[in-house]
Amino acid sequence: MIIGEHRDQVIKNIADHAQKGLFNEKVEIDDPQTSSEESMAIVNQFWQNQNHWRARFDNLIARTTMRGITDWFNLNTTFCGLKNLKSLKPTQGAVITSNHFNQLDNTVIRKLAQKNHRRLFIVIQETNLKMDGLIGFLMNHLDVLPLTKNVGYLGRTLPKKLEQQVQKGHWVLIYPEQEMWFNYRKPRPVKRGAYYYAAKANVPIISCFTEIIDQPKPEKNNDEFYQTKYRLHVLPLIWPDSKLSVNENAKMMMEKDYAQKKAAYEAAYQKKLSYDFEPHDIAGWRG
């Protein structure tokens, strides 16, 4: 399924950003923008709403709806490397990292969580809370942890919220590439945040890489693309080292995770990772 318009312009933005090494910048052209004050107000309102008597009911509806979407979106998704999760105790929380290439790619990780009987929380940008319709309802009532660029929030509030969930044995998905790059196959250089939060909470990283496989049929809603399916590679867990500080662990885990994703890409596509842009970088693109 192709979500969003102006895919040709977005692909051009991806090519330009890759050439300039701007791997963590926005490439979508219609993402909402907020001021720092508005951003903080949105997040504060979200947490205030969690105290409302209807929050638990709405959460149940949202999770049930998302489960149906997840099952439908992943009818052809396959999983490999599940044995790497065996060392994780049933009550052990974790931070999951994966490449970010589609508005619904989190359903691949949701499916993994379902298969392991885990509850999944997702760290999302606060602008997602402003969406309308069904997507807006889901964003505001699913298990999410919104973030904003406010330093105090990122340094104190968000780590506390995250630790509360992993201590309960839940998993938290954080996209270390930050921005979504539409159908982009390659793992991009990662940012430190996900690994800092994992190190601070003393939980492992479930390192994942989603391979995107072209199918022979064109997309029903956009004939410029072939349909695709996914193969999730669950890579070896990355555990914090008790001998290292939080910052040292964050650096170590970040470097290991990127190296694992790079190796997974090269094994899946049988080619060396290079950031020189080529049409193959965009899965399903007939251009």
Side-chain angles (χ1 to χ4, degrees), residues 135-235:
I135 298 300
F137 175 82
L138 293 175
M139 289 296 98
N140 279 275
H141 299 293
L142 277 171
D143 294 332
V144 300
L145 302 174
L147 59 77
T148 177
K149 294 180 180 180
N150 181 277
V151 175
Y153 181 85
L154 291 175
R156 294 189 298 272
T157 306
L158 185 58
K160 182 179 179 181
K161 298 288 187 182
L162 185 147
E163 286 183 44
Q164 288 173 351
Q165 301 309 328
V166 296
Q167 286 172 2
K168 296 175 183 177
H170 303 324
W171 291 353
V172 177
L173 170 62
I174 304 178
Y175 290 112
E177 297 172 341
Q178 295 188 336
E179 298 296 338
M180 184 199 79
W181 278 25
F182 170 73
N183 274 22
Y184 191 68
R185 282 191 162 103
K186 294 174 178 176
R188 290 175 274 145
V190 296
K191 303 294 280 187
R192 176 175 173 270
Y195 313 96
Y196 172 80
Y197 293 135
K200 189 171 177 60
N202 194 33
V203 296
I205 293 287
I206 300 177
S207 175
C208 294
F209 175 73
T210 304
E211 176 187 357
I212 316 173
I213 304 166
D214 291 354
Q215 300 295 284
K217 294 183 179 180
E219 282 284 357
K220 295 179 180 179
N221 65 331
N222 191 322
D223 60 8
E224 294 182 5
F225 294 87
Y226 289 111
Q227 295 180 19
T228 58
K229 67 176 183 178
Y230 306 118
R231 179 182 293 124
L232 182 68
H233 298 263
V234 182
L235 310 173

Side-chain angles (χ1 to χ4, degrees), residues 34 46-48 59 77 125-126 215 230-231 268:
T34 60
F46 170 83
W47 289 118
Q48 184 177 334
N59 175 255
T77 298
Q125 293 187 354
E126 88 291 349
Q215 300 295 284
Y230 306 118
R231 179 182 293 124

Side-chain angles (χ1 to χ4, degrees), residues 254-271:
M254 179 178 67
E255 291 174 350
K256 279 190 177 181
D257 192 30
Y258 177 68
Q260 289 187 173
K261 286 175 168 54
K262 177 177 180 290
Y265 167 87
E266 294 179 344
Y269 297 109
Q270 293 295 294
K271 59 191 303 181

Side-chain angles (χ1 to χ4, degrees), residues 10-287:
V10 170
I11 292 172
K12 182 179 184 301
N13 290 346
I14 289 173
D16 291 344
H17 281 55
Q19 181 180 5
K20 297 174 183 176
L22 302 175
F23 296 107
N24 310 112
E25 301 296 321
K26 286 183 180 293
V27 295
E28 296 289 327
I29 61 177
D30 53 2
D31 278 357
Q33 302 291 328
T34 60
S35 65
S36 57
E37 294 79 9
E38 184 182 7
S39 174
M40 200 64 235
I42 292 170
V43 172
N44 286 336
Q45 185 62 56
F46 170 83
W47 289 118
Q48 184 177 334
N49 290 344
Q50 303 314 298
N51 297 323
H52 194 275
W53 65 270
R54 283 201 55 173
R56 186 173 298 181
F57 176 72
D58 288 338
N59 175 255
L60 179 60
I61 293 176
R63 288 167 58 194
T64 301
T65 302
M66 198 65 198
R67 187 180 186 94
I69 294 172
T70 293
D71 291 342
W72 172 79
F73 194 71
N74 291 282
L75 286 173
N76 298 312
T77 298
T78 55
F79 299 81
C80 57
L82 295 178
K83 63 183 180 180
N84 287 318
L85 297 174
K86 288 184 176 180
S87 62
L88 200 62
K89 297 178 180 179
T91 57
Q92 173 71 64
V95 169
I96 304 182
T97 63
S98 189
N99 45 322
H100 193 17
F101 55 86
N102 186 287
Q103 293 93 332
L104 291 175
D105 60 24
N106 68 83
T107 65
V108 179
I109 305 300
R110 285 185 185 279
K111 193 66 178 179
L112 176 68
Q114 290 177 14
K115 292 169 72 70
N116 287 271
H117 310 289
R118 296 300 186 108
R119 190 165 173 176
L120 179 70
F121 284 74
I122 303 179
V123 173
I124 66 169
Q125 293 187 354
E126 88 291 349
T127 51
N128 289 312
L129 301 175
K130 294 184 63 179
M131 293 183 177
D132 298 323
L134 175 62
I135 298 300
F137 175 82
L138 293 175
M139 289 296 98
N140 279 275
H141 299 293
L142 277 171
D143 294 332
V144 300
L145 302 174
L147 59 77
T148 177
K149 294 180 180 180
N150 181 277
V151 175
Y153 181 85
L154 291 175
R156 294 189 298 272
T157 306
L158 185 58
K160 182 179 179 181
K161 298 288 187 182
L162 185 147
E163 286 183 44
Q164 288 173 351
Q165 301 309 328
V166 296
Q167 286 172 2
K168 296 175 183 177
H170 303 324
W171 291 353
V172 177
L173 170 62
I174 304 178
Y175 290 112
E177 297 172 341
Q178 295 188 336
E179 298 296 338
M180 184 199 79
W181 278 25
F182 170 73
N183 274 22
Y184 191 68
R185 282 191 162 103
K186 294 174 178 176
R188 290 175 274 145
V190 296
K191 303 294 280 187
R192 176 175 173 270
Y195 313 96
Y196 172 80
Y197 293 135
K200 189 171 177 60
N202 194 33
V203 296
I205 293 287
I206 300 177
S207 175
C208 294
F209 175 73
T210 304
E211 176 187 357
I212 316 173
I213 304 166
D214 291 354
Q215 300 295 284
K217 294 183 179 180
E219 282 284 357
K220 295 179 180 179
N221 65 331
N222 191 322
D223 60 8
E224 294 182 5
F225 294 87
Y226 289 111
Q227 295 180 19
T228 58
K229 67 176 183 178
Y230 306 118
R231 179 182 293 124
L232 182 68
H233 298 263
V234 182
L235 310 173
L237 297 182
I238 304 172
W239 295 84
D241 186 337
S242 60
K243 297 178 182 178
L244 301 178
S245 68
V246 169
N247 286 331
E248 290 170 336
N249 265 313
K251 184 175 184 295
M252 176 271 291
M253 298 167 88
M254 179 178 67
E255 291 174 350
K256 279 190 177 181
D257 192 30
Y258 177 68
Q260 289 187 173
K261 286 175 168 54
K262 177 177 180 290
Y265 167 87
E266 294 179 344
Y269 297 109
Q270 293 295 294
K271 59 191 303 181
K272 288 290 185 182
L273 177 62
S274 164
Y275 289 115
D276 294 331
F277 184 81
E278 55 185 345
H280 180 264
D281 293 350
I282 309 300
W285 188 32
R286 301 176 73 177

